[in-house]
Structure formats: C-alpha cells, structure tokens
Coordinates of all heavy atoms in Angstrom, one line a residue:
M1 N -12.1 -33.3 53.1 CA -10.7 -33.6 53.2 C -10.4 -35.1 52.8 O -9.3 -35.4 52.4 CB -10.3 -33.5 54.7 CG -10.2 -32.1 55.2 SD -8.8 -31.2 54.4 CE -8.8 -29.8 55.4
D2 N -11.4 -36.0 53.0 CA -11.1 -37.4 52.7 C -10.9 -37.6 51.2 O -10.1 -38.4 50.8 CB -12.3 -38.2 53.2 CG -12.4 -38.2 54.8 OD1 -11.4 -37.8 55.4 OD2 -13.5 -38.5 55.3
I3 N -11.7 -36.9 50.4 CA -11.6 -37.1 49.0 C -10.3 -36.5 48.5 O -9.6 -37.1 47.7 CB -12.8 -36.4 48.2 CG1 -14.1 -37.1 48.6 CG2 -12.5 -36.4 46.7 CD1 -15.3 -36.5 48.0
L4 N -9.9 -35.4 49.0 CA -8.5 -34.8 48.7 C -7.4 -35.8 49.1 O -6.4 -35.9 48.5 CB -8.4 -33.5 49.3 CG -9.3 -32.4 48.7 CD1 -9.1 -31.1 49.5 CD2 -9.0 -32.2 47.3
G5 N -7.6 -36.4 50.3 CA -6.6 -37.4 50.8 C -6.5 -38.6 49.8 O -5.4 -39.0 49.5
C6 N -7.6 -39.0 49.3 CA -7.6 -40.1 48.3 C -6.9 -39.7 47.0 O -6.1 -40.4 46.4 CB -9.0 -40.6 48.0 SG -9.7 -41.7 49.3
V7 N -7.2 -38.5 46.6 CA -6.6 -38.0 45.3 C -5.1 -37.8 45.5 O -4.3 -38.2 44.6 CB -7.3 -36.7 44.9 CG1 -6.5 -36.0 43.8 CG2 -8.7 -36.9 44.5
A8 N -4.7 -37.3 46.6 CA -3.3 -37.1 46.9 C -2.6 -38.5 46.9 O -1.4 -38.7 46.4 CB -3.0 -36.3 48.1
A9 N -3.2 -39.5 47.6 CA -2.6 -40.8 47.7 C -2.5 -41.5 46.3 O -1.5 -42.1 46.0 CB -3.4 -41.7 48.7
L10 N -3.5 -41.4 45.5 CA -3.5 -42.0 44.2 C -2.5 -41.3 43.3 O -1.8 -41.9 42.5 CB -4.9 -42.0 43.6 CG -5.8 -43.0 44.3 CD1 -7.2 -42.8 43.6 CD2 -5.4 -44.4 44.2
A11 N -2.4 -39.9 43.4 CA -1.3 -39.2 42.7 C 0.1 -39.6 43.1 O 1.0 -39.8 42.3 CB -1.5 -37.7 42.8
A12 N 0.3 -39.8 44.4 CA 1.6 -40.2 44.9 C 1.9 -41.6 44.3 O 3.1 -41.8 43.9 CB 1.6 -40.3 46.4
M13 N 1.0 -42.5 44.3 CA 1.3 -43.9 43.8 C 1.5 -43.9 42.3 O 2.3 -44.7 41.8 CB 0.2 -44.9 44.3 CG 0.3 -45.2 45.8 SD 1.9 -45.9 46.3 CE 2.8 -44.6 47.0
A14 N 0.7 -43.0 41.6 CA 0.9 -43.0 40.2 C 2.3 -42.4 39.8 O 2.9 -43.0 38.9 CB -0.2 -42.1 39.6
L15 N 2.7 -41.4 40.5 CA 4.0 -40.9 40.2 C 5.1 -41.9 40.7 O 6.1 -42.0 40.0 CB 4.2 -39.6 41.0 CG 3.5 -38.4 40.4 CD1 3.6 -37.2 41.3 CD2 4.0 -38.0 39.0
A16 N 4.9 -42.6 41.8 CA 5.9 -43.6 42.2 C 6.0 -44.7 41.2 O 7.0 -45.2 40.9 CB 5.5 -44.1 43.6
Y17 N 4.8 -45.1 40.6 CA 4.8 -46.2 39.7 C 5.5 -45.8 38.4 O 6.3 -46.5 37.8 CB 3.4 -46.7 39.4 CG 3.3 -47.7 38.3 CD1 3.8 -49.0 38.5 CD2 2.7 -47.4 37.0 CE1 3.8 -49.9 37.4 CE2 2.7 -48.3 36.0 CZ 3.2 -49.6 36.2 OH 3.1 -50.5 35.2
L18 N 5.1 -44.6 37.9 CA 5.7 -44.1 36.6 C 7.2 -43.8 36.7 O 7.8 -43.7 35.7 CB 4.9 -42.9 36.1 CG 3.5 -43.2 35.7 CD1 2.7 -41.9 35.4 CD2 3.4 -44.1 34.6
S19 N 7.7 -43.6 37.9 CA 9.1 -43.3 38.0 C 9.9 -44.6 38.3 O 11.1 -44.6 38.4 CB 9.4 -42.3 39.1 OG 9.0 -42.8 40.4
S20 N 9.2 -45.7 38.4 CA 9.9 -47.0 38.7 C 10.4 -47.6 37.4 O 9.9 -47.4 36.3 CB 8.9 -48.0 39.3 OG 9.4 -49.3 39.3
R21 N 11.5 -48.4 37.5 CA 12.1 -49.0 36.4 C 11.2 -50.1 35.8 O 11.3 -50.5 34.7 CB 13.5 -49.6 36.7 CG 14.6 -48.7 36.9 CD 15.9 -49.3 37.2 NE 15.9 -50.1 38.5 CZ 16.1 -51.4 38.6 NH1 16.5 -52.1 37.6 NH2 16.1 -51.9 39.8
N22 N 10.3 -50.7 36.7 CA 9.5 -51.8 36.3 C 8.2 -51.4 35.6 O 7.4 -52.2 35.3 CB 9.2 -52.7 37.5 CG 10.4 -53.3 38.1 OD1 11.4 -53.6 37.3 ND2 10.5 -53.4 39.4
Q23 N 7.9 -50.1 35.5 CA 6.7 -49.7 34.9 C 6.6 -50.0 33.5 O 7.6 -50.1 32.8 CB 6.4 -48.2 35.2 CG 7.5 -47.2 34.5 CD 7.1 -46.8 33.2 OE1 5.9 -46.9 32.7 NE2 8.1 -46.3 32.4
R24 N 5.4 -50.3 33.0 CA 5.2 -50.7 31.6 C 4.3 -49.7 30.8 O 3.9 -50.0 29.7 CB 4.5 -52.0 31.5 CG 5.3 -53.1 32.3 CD 5.9 -54.0 31.3 NE 6.5 -55.2 32.0 CZ 7.8 -55.4 31.9 NH1 8.6 -54.6 31.3 NH2 8.3 -56.4 32.6
L25 N 4.0 -48.6 31.4 CA 3.1 -47.6 30.7 C 3.8 -46.7 29.8 O 3.4 -46.4 28.7 CB 2.3 -46.9 31.8 CG 1.1 -46.1 31.3 CD1 0.1 -47.1 30.7 CD2 0.4 -45.4 32.5
L26 N 5.0 -46.2 30.2 CA 5.7 -45.2 29.4 C 6.9 -45.9 28.8 O 7.4 -46.9 29.3 CB 6.2 -44.1 30.3 CG 5.1 -43.3 31.0 CD1 5.8 -42.3 32.0 CD2 4.2 -42.6 30.1
A27 N 7.5 -45.3 27.8 CA 8.7 -45.8 27.1 C 9.9 -45.8 28.1 O 10.7 -46.7 28.1 CB 9.0 -45.1 25.8
R28 N 10.0 -44.7 28.8 CA 11.1 -44.5 29.8 C 10.4 -44.0 31.1 O 9.5 -43.3 31.1 CB 12.1 -43.4 29.3 CG 12.9 -43.9 28.2 CD 13.9 -42.9 27.8 NE 14.2 -41.9 28.9 CZ 14.7 -40.7 28.7 NH1 15.0 -40.3 27.5 NH2 14.9 -39.9 29.6
P29 N 11.0 -44.5 32.3 CA 10.4 -44.0 33.5 C 10.7 -42.5 33.7 O 11.6 -41.9 33.1 CB 11.2 -44.8 34.6 CG 12.3 -45.5 33.9 CD 12.0 -45.4 32.4
L30 N 9.9 -41.9 34.6 CA 10.0 -40.5 34.9 C 11.3 -40.3 35.8 O 11.8 -41.3 36.3 CB 8.8 -40.0 35.6 CG 7.5 -40.0 34.9 CD1 6.4 -39.5 35.8 CD2 7.6 -39.2 33.6
G31 N 11.8 -39.1 35.9 CA 13.0 -38.8 36.6 C 12.8 -38.7 38.1 O 11.8 -39.1 38.7
R32 N 13.9 -38.1 38.7 CA 13.9 -38.0 40.2 C 12.9 -37.0 40.7 O 12.4 -37.1 41.8 CB 15.3 -37.5 40.6 CG 16.3 -38.6 40.5 CD 17.6 -38.1 41.1 NE 18.6 -39.1 41.0 CZ 19.5 -39.3 42.0 NH1 19.5 -38.6 43.0 NH2 20.4 -40.3 41.9
G33 N 12.5 -36.1 39.9 CA 11.5 -35.1 40.3 C 10.2 -35.7 40.6 O 9.5 -35.3 41.5
A34 N 9.9 -36.8 39.8 CA 8.6 -37.5 40.0 C 8.7 -38.3 41.3 O 7.7 -38.4 42.0 CB 8.3 -38.4 38.9
K35 N 9.8 -38.8 41.7 CA 10.0 -39.5 42.9 C 9.8 -38.6 44.1 O 9.1 -38.9 45.1 CB 11.3 -40.2 43.0 CG 11.4 -41.4 42.1 CD 12.7 -42.2 42.3 CE 12.8 -43.3 41.3 NZ 13.9 -44.1 41.5
L36 N 10.4 -37.4 44.0 CA 10.2 -36.4 45.0 C 8.8 -35.9 45.2 O 8.2 -35.8 46.3 CB 11.1 -35.2 44.8 CG 11.0 -34.1 45.8 CD1 11.5 -34.5 47.1 CD2 11.8 -32.9 45.3
A37 N 8.1 -35.7 44.0 CA 6.7 -35.3 44.0 C 5.8 -36.4 44.6 O 4.9 -36.2 45.3 CB 6.3 -35.0 42.6
A38 N 6.2 -37.7 44.4 CA 5.5 -38.8 45.0 C 5.5 -38.8 46.5 O 4.5 -39.0 47.2 CB 6.0 -40.2 44.4
W39 N 6.7 -38.5 47.0 CA 6.9 -38.4 48.5 C 6.1 -37.2 49.0 O 5.5 -37.3 50.1 CB 8.4 -38.3 48.8 CG 9.1 -39.6 48.9 CD1 10.0 -40.0 47.9 CD2 9.0 -40.6 49.8 NE1 10.4 -41.3 48.3 CE2 9.9 -41.6 49.4 CE3 8.3 -40.7 51.0 CZ2 10.0 -42.8 50.2 CZ3 8.5 -41.9 51.8 CH2 9.3 -42.9 51.3
L40 N 6.1 -36.1 48.3 CA 5.4 -35.0 48.8 C 3.9 -35.2 48.8 O 3.2 -34.8 49.7 CB 5.7 -33.7 47.9 CG 7.2 -33.2 48.1 CD1 7.4 -32.1 47.1 CD2 7.4 -32.8 49.5
F41 N 3.4 -35.9 47.7 CA 1.9 -36.2 47.7 C 1.6 -37.2 48.7 O 0.5 -37.1 49.3 CB 1.6 -36.7 46.3 CG 1.2 -35.6 45.3 CD1 2.0 -35.4 44.2 CD2 0.1 -34.8 45.5 CE1 1.6 -34.4 43.3 CE2 -0.3 -33.9 44.6 CZ 0.5 -33.6 43.5
A42 N 2.5 -38.1 49.0 CA 2.2 -39.1 50.1 C 2.1 -38.4 51.5 O 1.2 -38.7 52.3 CB 3.2 -40.2 50.1
A43 N 3.0 -37.4 51.7 CA 3.0 -36.7 52.9 C 1.7 -35.8 53.0 O 1.1 -35.7 54.1 CB 4.2 -35.8 53.1
L44 N 1.3 -35.2 51.9 CA 0.1 -34.5 51.8 C -1.1 -35.4 52.1 O -2.1 -34.9 52.8 CB -0.1 -33.8 50.4 CG -1.3 -33.0 50.2 CD1 -1.4 -31.8 51.1 CD2 -1.4 -32.6 48.7
A45 N -1.1 -36.6 51.5 CA -2.2 -37.5 51.8 C -2.3 -37.8 53.3 O -3.5 -37.8 53.9 CB -2.0 -38.8 51.0
F46 N -1.2 -38.0 54.0 CA -1.2 -38.3 55.4 C -1.8 -37.1 56.1 O -2.6 -37.2 57.0 CB 0.2 -38.6 55.9 CG 0.5 -40.0 55.8 CD1 1.3 -40.5 54.8 CD2 0.0 -41.0 56.7 CE1 1.7 -41.8 54.7 CE2 0.3 -42.3 56.6 CZ 1.2 -42.7 55.6
A47 N -1.3 -35.9 55.8 CA -1.8 -34.7 56.4 C -3.3 -34.5 56.2 O -4.0 -34.1 57.2 CB -1.0 -33.5 55.9
L48 N -3.8 -34.7 55.0 CA -5.2 -34.5 54.7 C -6.1 -35.5 55.5 O -7.1 -35.2 56.0 CB -5.5 -34.5 53.2 CG -5.0 -33.3 52.5 CD1 -5.1 -33.6 51.0 CD2 -5.7 -32.1 52.8
W49 N -5.6 -36.8 55.5 CA -6.4 -37.8 56.2 C -6.4 -37.6 57.7 O -7.4 -37.8 58.4 CB -5.8 -39.2 55.9 CG -6.4 -39.8 54.6 CD1 -5.8 -39.9 53.4 CD2 -7.8 -40.3 54.5 NE1 -6.7 -40.4 52.5 CE2 -7.9 -40.7 53.1 CE3 -8.8 -40.5 55.3 CZ2 -9.0 -41.3 52.6 CZ3 -10.0 -41.0 54.8 CH2 -10.1 -41.4 53.5
I50 N -5.3 -37.1 58.2 CA -5.2 -36.9 59.7 C -6.1 -35.7 60.0 O -6.7 -35.6 61.1 CB -3.8 -36.7 60.2 CG1 -3.1 -38.1 60.1 CG2 -3.7 -36.2 61.6 CD1 -1.6 -38.1 60.3
A51 N -6.1 -34.7 59.1 CA -7.0 -33.5 59.4 C -8.4 -33.8 59.3 O -9.3 -33.3 60.0 CB -6.6 -32.4 58.4
G52 N -8.8 -34.8 58.4 CA -10.2 -35.1 58.2 C -10.7 -36.1 59.3 O -11.8 -36.1 59.7
E53 N -9.8 -36.9 59.8 CA -10.2 -37.9 60.8 C -9.3 -37.6 62.0 O -8.6 -36.6 62.1 CB -9.9 -39.3 60.3 CG -10.5 -39.7 59.0 CD -12.0 -39.8 59.1 OE1 -12.5 -40.2 60.2 OE2 -12.7 -39.5 58.1
T54 N -9.3 -38.4 63.0 CA -8.4 -38.2 64.1 C -7.1 -38.9 63.7 O -7.0 -39.4 62.6 CB -9.0 -38.9 65.4 OG1 -9.3 -40.2 65.2 CG2 -10.2 -38.1 65.9
S55 N -6.1 -38.9 64.6 CA -4.8 -39.3 64.2 C -4.7 -40.8 63.7 O -4.2 -41.0 62.6 CB -3.8 -39.1 65.4 OG -4.2 -39.8 66.5
L56 N -5.0 -41.7 64.5 CA -4.8 -43.1 64.1 C -5.7 -43.5 63.0 O -5.2 -44.2 62.0 CB -5.0 -44.1 65.3 CG -4.6 -45.5 65.1 CD1 -3.2 -45.6 64.6 CD2 -4.9 -46.3 66.3
P57 N -7.0 -43.2 63.0 CA -7.8 -43.6 61.8 C -7.3 -42.9 60.5 O -7.4 -43.4 59.4 CB -9.2 -43.2 62.2 CG -9.3 -43.2 63.6 CD -7.9 -42.8 64.1
G58 N -6.8 -41.7 60.7 CA -6.3 -40.9 59.5 C -5.0 -41.6 58.9 O -4.9 -41.7 57.7
V59 N -4.2 -42.1 59.8 CA -3.0 -42.8 59.4 C -3.3 -44.1 58.7 O -2.8 -44.4 57.6 CB -2.0 -43.0 60.5 CG1 -0.9 -44.0 60.1 CG2 -1.4 -41.7 61.0
L60 N -4.2 -44.8 59.2 CA -4.6 -46.1 58.7 C -5.4 -45.9 57.3 O -5.2 -46.7 56.4 CB -5.5 -46.9 59.6 CG -4.7 -47.3 60.9 CD1 -5.7 -48.0 61.8 CD2 -3.6 -48.2 60.6
A61 N -6.2 -44.9 57.2 CA -6.9 -44.6 56.0 C -5.9 -44.1 54.9 O -6.0 -44.5 53.7 CB -8.0 -43.5 56.2
A62 N -4.9 -43.3 55.3 CA -3.9 -42.9 54.3 C -3.1 -44.1 53.8 O -2.8 -44.2 52.6 CB -3.0 -41.9 54.9
L63 N -2.7 -45.0 54.7 CA -2.0 -46.2 54.3 C -2.8 -47.1 53.4 O -2.3 -47.7 52.4 CB -1.5 -47.0 55.5 CG -0.4 -46.4 56.3 CD1 -0.1 -47.2 57.6 CD2 0.9 -46.3 55.5
T64 N -4.1 -47.2 53.7 CA -5.0 -48.0 52.9 C -5.1 -47.4 51.5 O -5.1 -48.1 50.5 CB -6.4 -48.1 53.5 OG1 -6.2 -48.7 54.8 CG2 -7.3 -49.0 52.7
A65 N -5.3 -46.1 51.4 CA -5.4 -45.4 50.1 C -4.1 -45.6 49.3 O -4.1 -45.8 48.1 CB -5.7 -44.0 50.2
L66 N -2.9 -45.5 50.0 CA -1.6 -45.6 49.3 C -1.4 -47.1 48.8 O -1.0 -47.3 47.7 CB -0.5 -45.2 50.2 CG -0.4 -43.7 50.5 CD1 0.6 -43.5 51.7 CD2 0.1 -43.0 49.3
M67 N -1.8 -48.0 49.6 CA -1.7 -49.4 49.2 C -2.6 -49.7 48.0 O -2.3 -50.5 47.1 CB -2.0 -50.4 50.4 CG -0.9 -50.4 51.4 SD -1.1 -51.6 52.7 CE -2.5 -50.9 53.5
L68 N -3.8 -49.2 48.0 CA -4.8 -49.4 46.9 C -4.2 -48.9 45.6 O -4.2 -49.6 44.6 CB -6.1 -48.8 47.2 CG -7.1 -48.8 46.1 CD1 -7.6 -50.3 45.8 CD2 -8.3 -47.9 46.4
G69 N -3.6 -47.7 45.7 CA -3.0 -47.2 44.5 C -1.8 -48.0 44.0 O -1.5 -48.2 42.8
A70 N -1.0 -48.4 45.0 CA 0.2 -49.2 44.6 C -0.1 -50.5 44.0 O 0.6 -51.0 43.1 CB 1.1 -49.4 45.9
V71 N -1.2 -51.1 44.4 CA -1.6 -52.4 43.8 C -2.4 -52.2 42.5 O -2.3 -53.0 41.6 CB -2.4 -53.2 44.9 CG1 -3.1 -54.4 44.3 CG2 -1.6 -53.6 46.0
A72 N -3.3 -51.2 42.5 CA -4.2 -51.1 41.3 C -3.5 -50.6 40.1 O -3.9 -51.1 39.0 CB -5.3 -50.1 41.7
L73 N -2.5 -49.7 40.1 CA -1.9 -49.2 38.9 C -1.2 -50.2 38.0 O -1.4 -50.2 36.8 CB -1.0 -48.0 39.3 CG -1.7 -46.8 39.8 CD1 -0.8 -45.8 40.3 CD2 -2.5 -46.2 38.6
P74 N -0.4 -51.1 38.6 CA 0.2 -52.1 37.7 C -0.9 -53.0 37.0 O -0.7 -53.4 35.9 CB 1.1 -52.9 38.6 CG 1.4 -52.0 39.7 CD 0.2 -51.2 39.9
Y75 N -1.9 -53.4 37.8 CA -3.0 -54.2 37.2 C -3.8 -53.5 36.1 O -4.1 -54.1 35.1 CB -3.9 -54.8 38.3 CG -3.3 -55.9 39.0 CD1 -3.0 -55.8 40.3 CD2 -3.1 -57.1 38.4 CE1 -2.4 -56.9 41.0 CE2 -2.6 -58.2 39.0 CZ -2.3 -58.1 40.3 OH -1.7 -59.2 41.0
L76 N -4.0 -52.2 36.4 CA -4.7 -51.4 35.3 C -3.9 -51.3 34.1 O -4.4 -51.4 33.0 CB -5.1 -50.0 35.9 CG -6.3 -50.0 36.9 CD1 -6.4 -48.6 37.4 CD2 -7.6 -50.5 36.2
T77 N -2.6 -51.1 34.2 CA -1.7 -51.0 33.1 C -1.7 -52.3 32.3 O -1.8 -52.4 31.1 CB -0.3 -50.7 33.5 OG1 -0.3 -49.5 34.2 CG2 0.6 -50.6 32.3
W78 N -1.7 -53.4 33.0 CA -1.7 -54.8 32.4 C -3.0 -55.0 31.7 O -3.0 -55.6 30.6 CB -1.5 -55.8 33.5 CG -1.7 -57.2 32.9 CD1 -0.8 -58.0 32.2 CD2 -2.8 -58.0 33.1 NE1 -1.3 -59.2 31.9 CE2 -2.6 -59.2 32.4 CE3 -4.1 -57.8 33.7 CZ2 -3.5 -60.3 32.4 CZ3 -5.0 -58.8 33.7 CH2 -4.7 -60.0 33.0
F79 N -4.1 -54.6 32.3 CA -5.4 -54.8 31.7 C -5.7 -54.0 30.5 O -6.3 -54.5 29.5 CB -6.5 -54.5 32.8 CG -7.9 -54.9 32.3 CD1 -8.3 -56.2 32.2 CD2 -8.8 -53.9 32.0 CE1 -9.6 -56.5 31.8 CE2 -10.1 -54.2 31.6 CZ -10.5 -55.5 31.5
F80 N -5.3 -52.8 30.4 CA -5.6 -51.9 29.3 C -4.6 -51.9 28.2 O -4.9 -51.4 27.1 CB -5.8 -50.5 29.8 CG -7.1 -50.3 30.5 CD1 -7.1 -49.9 31.9 CD2 -8.3 -50.4 29.9 CE1 -8.2 -49.8 32.6 CE2 -9.5 -50.3 30.6 CZ -9.5 -50.0 31.9
R81 N -3.4 -52.5 28.3 CA -2.5 -52.6 27.2 C -2.8 -53.9 26.4 O -3.0 -54.9 27.0 CB -1.1 -52.6 27.7 CG -0.7 -51.3 28.3 CD 0.8 -51.1 28.5 NE 1.5 -51.3 27.2 CZ 2.8 -51.2 27.2 NH1 3.5 -51.0 28.2 NH2 3.4 -51.3 26.0
P82 N -2.8 -53.8 25.1 CA -3.0 -55.0 24.3 C -1.9 -56.0 24.5 O -0.8 -55.6 24.8 CB -3.0 -54.4 22.9 CG -3.2 -53.0 23.0 CD -2.7 -52.6 24.3
A83 N -2.2 -57.2 24.3 CA -1.3 -58.3 24.5 C -0.1 -58.2 23.5 O 1.0 -58.6 23.8 CB -1.9 -59.7 24.3
T84 N -0.3 -57.6 22.4 CA 0.8 -57.4 21.4 C 1.8 -56.4 21.9 O 3.0 -56.5 21.4 CB 0.3 -57.0 20.0 OG1 -0.5 -55.8 20.2 CG2 -0.6 -58.1 19.5
E85 N 1.5 -55.5 22.7 CA 2.4 -54.5 23.2 C 3.1 -54.9 24.5 O 4.1 -54.2 24.9 CB 1.7 -53.1 23.5 CG 1.1 -52.5 22.2 CD 0.4 -51.2 22.6 OE1 0.7 -50.7 23.7 OE2 -0.4 -50.7 21.8
R86 N 2.7 -56.0 25.1 CA 3.4 -56.4 26.3 C 4.7 -57.0 26.0 O 4.9 -57.7 25.1 CB 2.5 -57.4 27.0 CG 1.2 -56.8 27.5 CD 0.4 -57.8 28.3 NE -1.0 -57.2 28.4 CZ -2.0 -58.0 28.4 NH1 -1.9 -59.3 28.3 NH2 -3.2 -57.5 28.5
K87 N 5.7 -56.7 26.9 CA 7.0 -57.3 26.7 C 7.1 -58.7 27.3 O 6.6 -58.9 28.4 CB 8.0 -56.4 27.5 CG 8.2 -55.0 27.0 CD 9.1 -54.2 27.8 CE 9.2 -52.8 27.4 NZ 10.0 -52.0 28.2
P88 N 7.6 -59.6 26.6 CA 7.8 -60.9 27.2 C 8.8 -60.9 28.3 O 9.8 -60.2 28.2 CB 8.2 -61.8 26.0 CG 8.8 -60.9 25.0 CD 8.1 -59.5 25.2
R89 N 8.7 -61.8 29.2 CA 9.7 -61.9 30.3 C 10.6 -63.0 30.1 O 10.5 -64.0 29.6 CB 8.9 -62.0 31.7 CG 8.2 -60.7 32.0 CD 7.9 -60.6 33.4 NE 7.4 -59.3 33.7 CZ 7.8 -58.5 34.6 NH1 8.7 -58.9 35.4 NH2 7.2 -57.4 34.8

C-alpha cells in the first residue's frame, strides 16, 4: 500500500504541476480535467497511506509524499531542460 500511495501522490503532483500556468515542461498547461484528476489522485494517496499505516502516520506520510512531488517536479524540469530552451524572466 505504501508504494501505491507514493505513486498516487507523485501522479497527483505531476498533474497539478502540468496543469499550472507556471509550468515549463509543456507548451500549454493541461486543462481542468487534469486538475480534477490531481485532486482525485491526492485523495487516493491519502486513502492508501491511511490503509497502509494507522491514521495519523498515514496522513503525515501522504503529506510528505505530496510535498516531495510538489518540490521535486519544478526542479527536475529546470535541471533537464537545456539552458537555450528556458524562458528568460
């Protein structure tokens, strides 16, 4: 259950990042369906973590997995895109 909870949390944060206006990976952000799917995957991550652990450790583990995905995805995008493709600010 814990591995599935991590996968669901990372999928939720990937969809949330790709549907954001500030994302730099796609030419255009994903639509509202991706935002809804991100919320559903986040709820699934909470359910899986709580099922695998007890209630409070499951909630904290789900929040940690969600925060890791939210922080890691923008940095991975920045790291793997060549400097010539980056937009100046």
Side-chain angles (χ1 to χ4, degrees):
M1 290 290 193
D2 297 340
I3 293 173
L4 291 176
C6 282
V7 169
L10 291 176
M13 288 298 101
L15 287 171
Y17 175 69
L18 291 175
S19 64
S20 171
R21 288 184 293 124
N22 297 327
Q23 62 90 17
R24 303 251 187 244
L25 195 59
L26 302 174
R28 290 184 16 201
L30 298 177
R32 287 185 179 219
K35 287 183 183 184
L36 178 64
W39 280 105
L40 292 175
F41 273 115
L44 179 65
F46 274 103
L48 289 171
W49 274 104
I50 290 172
E53 306 293 328
T54 56
S55 60
L56 187 59
V59 169
L60 295 177
L63 286 174
T64 302
L66 288 168
M67 287 186 292
L68 176 67
V71 170
L73 288 171
Y75 280 113
L76 286 173
T77 301
W78 171 79
F79 184 72
F80 286 115
R81 288 195 62 180
T84 57
E85 293 182 18
R86 295 184 194 142
K87 296 178 186 175
R89 291 199 173 229

